[in-house]
Amino acid sequence: EIASCLVGSEMCIRDRYSYSQHLDIARVISMSEVPNVCEVVPARMTYEDSKGQKHILEYRVMGNGCSNG
């Protein structure tokens, strides 16, 4: 799912990551913090592609609160 968005006064592209997606990441601008929980949580990365277009990528990640012991 891809949609337009604004970052400050600049247009950007917001999309949800899928494993088959090719990402053109030239520069990471920011990443959301991963909470200290033991479950899958939403995350977000703002980046610029090789053409200078800003993107906000939404994806899911395992929290940092799991222990192996």
Side-chain angles (χ1 to χ4, degrees):
E1 178 179 316
I2 298 175
S4 296
C5 60
L6 282 173
V7 174
S9 62
E10 295 183 58
M11 289 298 296
C12 69
I13 298 171
R14 172 176 280 144
D15 53 359
R16 291 198 175 159
Y17 177 72
S18 68
Y19 288 110
S20 62
Q21 185 176 359
H22 170 72
L23 298 175
D24 174 17
I25 301 173
R27 181 175 73 97
V28 174
I29 297 167
S30 67
M31 294 181 71
S32 62
E33 277 209 33
V34 178
N36 195 24
V37 296
C38 189
E39 61 185 284
V40 177
V41 295
R44 179 179 292 176
M45 175 175 60
T46 303
Y47 69 93
E48 204 171 75
D49 67 20
S50 60
K51 296 176 185 169
Q53 176 70 54
K54 287 189 179 171
H55 296 255
I56 296 176
L57 182 68
E58 296 175 343
Y59 58 100
R60 300 188 60 74
V61 64
M62 191 67 181
N64 289 329
C66 300
S67 64
N68 294 329

